[in-house]
């Protein structure tokens, strides 16, 4: 009994440590990649060598800012929204495997659990928009809700294709069933899943709910200090979770030659994090009508086509 409790405690400590460290690494990586791609000077000089202290400077800045709650805000919902945006990604990491046997909890219906919990994270943005008592924030919250409804369907359909191919909903089971020829077979689903995930995270070019040029910062307009920093941390945690799930579902997770399994998982995850940043600096923001058209006339048909292809291959394979 004591050994079992110790095992659970160690797994939880490792998950929490990864949750606290990996999003910060992704944030620092975004500073550096954007600095190189867009010739941004500041992030390359903060602290000296290659701007190593940029993330620390940002943290100190947020700590020094006053924590303000608008008079017209719903104080309880306003204070709760950052936690609702952040905590679901911690919960998701509990069931994401990084190596053979290296997973917090192996759930039989792990894929369903992940998709359900990820949808909760978007509610933090909706809550923040409604509770702020600000019309710009409310508009951003409504746009977040519209994106959640639109992009959740192709996300689930693309993930269902992989589950159908593997014959299991367990994330470690999906990795163990994965074969190299799944790369072309599930390529459409991978693109749909990754794109829909970016939209649910409201990352550029799907950042219309934030849209600094027209609605300030959308749902986060009235947030300052640590509360605003928690929303930023939730964004980077979401990037890590999306990249990890894409790795597990479509890229074989820990499978790879020569290197240990966890190393392969982290390499694939941060390669996808780089793609997320690359997309941000390369494409302009989509209009709201373009966002909806992409989801309903682009991604949903592609996800259904991937499901049909998976079913056909499974039947022909016997």
């Amino acid at each position: 009994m004591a050994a079992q409790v110790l095992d659970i405690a160690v797994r939880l400590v490792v998950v929490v440590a990864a949750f606290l460290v990996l999003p910060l690494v992704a944030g620092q990586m975004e500073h550096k990649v954007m600095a190189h791609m867009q010739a941004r000077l500041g992030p390359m000089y903060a602290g000296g060598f290659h701007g190593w202290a940029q993330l620390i400077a940002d943290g100190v800045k947020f700590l020094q800012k006053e924590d303000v709650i608008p008079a017209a805000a719903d104080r309880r919902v306003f204070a709760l929204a950052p936690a609702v945006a952040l905590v679901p990604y911690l919960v998701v990491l509990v069931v994401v495997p990084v190596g053979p046997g290296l997973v917090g909890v192996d759930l039989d219906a792990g894929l369903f659990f992940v998709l359900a919990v990820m949808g909760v994270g978007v509610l933090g943005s909706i809550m923040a928009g409604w509770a702020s008592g600000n019309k710009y924030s409310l508009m951003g919250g409504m746009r977040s809700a519209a994106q959640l409804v639109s992009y959740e369907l192709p996300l689930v359909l693309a993930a269902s294709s992989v589950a159908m191919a593997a014959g299991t909903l367990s994330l470690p089971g999906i990795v163990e069933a994965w074969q190299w020829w799944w790369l072309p077979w599930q390529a459409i689903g991978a693109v749909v899943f990754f794109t829909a995930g970016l939209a649910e995270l409201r990352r550029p070019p799907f950042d219309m709910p934030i849209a600094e040029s027209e609605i300030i910062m959308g749902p986060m307009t009235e947030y300052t200090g640590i509360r605003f920093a928690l929303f930023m941390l939730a964004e980077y945690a979401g990037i890590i979770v999306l990249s990890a799930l894409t790795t597990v579902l479509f890229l074989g997770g820990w499978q790879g030659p020569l290197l240990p399994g966890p190393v392969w998982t982290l390499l694939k995850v941060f390669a996808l994090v780089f793609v997320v940043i690359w997309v941000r600096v390369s494409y302009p923001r989509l209009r709201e009508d373009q966002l909806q058209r992409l989801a309903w006339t682009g991604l949903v048909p592609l996800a259904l086509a991937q499901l049909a292809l998976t079913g056909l291959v499974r039947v022909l394979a016997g």
Side-chain angles (χ1 to χ4, degrees):
M1 182 64 180
Q4 184 178 7
V5 172
L6 179 61
D7 179 66
I8 294 174
V10 170
R11 289 173 184 265
L12 289 178
V13 169
V14 171
V15 169
V16 172
F19 178 74
L20 294 176
V21 173
L22 294 181
L24 297 181
V25 175
Q28 184 75 349
M29 182 176 172
E30 181 165 60
H31 281 305
K32 302 309 164 191
V33 173
M34 292 179 65
H36 282 291
M37 288 188 170
Q38 297 183 329
R40 297 186 177 197
L41 297 181
M44 301 304 294
Y45 288 94
F49 176 72
H50 211 263
W52 65 270
Q54 179 62 52
L55 202 64
I56 298 175
D58 286 342
V60 172
K61 175 186 69 175
F62 286 127
L63 286 172
Q64 290 179 333
K65 287 187 175 181
E66 183 180 1
D67 184 18
V68 178
I69 299 180
D74 185 320
R75 299 181 69 89
R76 290 184 179 179
V77 179
F78 185 88
L80 187 61
V84 174
L86 179 61
V87 172
Y89 296 119
L90 170 60
V91 176
V92 168
L93 283 180
V94 173
V95 299
V96 176
V98 296
L102 298 179
V103 59
V105 179
D106 182 6
L107 298 179
D108 291 336
L111 183 57
F112 279 166
F113 175 82
V114 163
L115 294 175
V117 174
M118 281 185 66
V120 175
V122 184
L123 295 180
S125 177
I126 300 172
M127 291 169 60
W130 179 83
S132 293
N134 180 307
K135 293 182 179 179
Y136 292 110
S137 299
L138 179 60
M139 184 178 297
M142 292 173 64
R143 289 178 176 180
S144 295
Q147 281 191 206
L148 172 64
V149 172
S150 300
Y151 285 90
E152 188 73 12
L153 181 58
L155 186 82
V156 172
L157 290 175
S160 300
S161 173
V162 178
M164 182 190 300
T168 179
L169 294 171
S170 166
L171 295 182
I174 291 174
V175 177
E176 291 169 357
W178 187 86
Q179 302 292 329
W180 68 266
W181 55 272
W182 285 25
L183 285 173
W185 179 27
Q186 298 293 327
I188 296 175
V191 172
V192 170
F193 184 88
F194 194 69
T195 304
L198 284 180
E200 288 206 357
L201 292 176
R202 302 174 303 283
R203 288 283 300 183
F206 306 101
D207 59 335
M208 184 54 76
I210 297 174
E212 299 99 322
S213 58
E214 58 174 284
I215 54 174
I216 324 299
M217 281 295 286
M220 297 178 287
T221 297
E222 299 293 350
Y223 283 86
T224 59
I226 294 299
R227 298 184 200 273
F228 185 84
L230 289 177
F231 275 113
M232 294 293 98
L233 182 60
E235 178 178 338
Y236 290 119
I239 293 172
I240 293 294
V241 167
L242 173 63
S243 300
L245 288 176
T246 305
T247 295
V248 167
L249 296 178
F250 298 98
L251 300 180
W254 64 76
Q255 295 196 41
L258 302 178
L259 298 175
V263 175
W264 271 114
T265 300
L266 290 176
L267 286 175
K268 294 174 184 178
V269 166
F270 280 99
L272 290 174
V273 171
F274 174 78
V275 173
V276 172
I277 301 168
W278 192 358
V279 170
R280 171 179 179 173
V281 300
S282 301
Y283 294 97
R285 180 183 302 128
L286 297 176
R287 297 194 313 266
E288 191 66 25
D289 62 307
Q290 293 172 329
L291 280 170
Q292 299 299 326
R293 187 180 304 114
L294 175 63
W296 293 106
T297 66
L299 298 187
V300 170
L302 284 175
L304 290 173
Q306 178 66 76
L307 269 177
L309 176 62
T310 301
L312 178 63
V313 172
R314 289 282 292 178
V315 169
L316 294 177

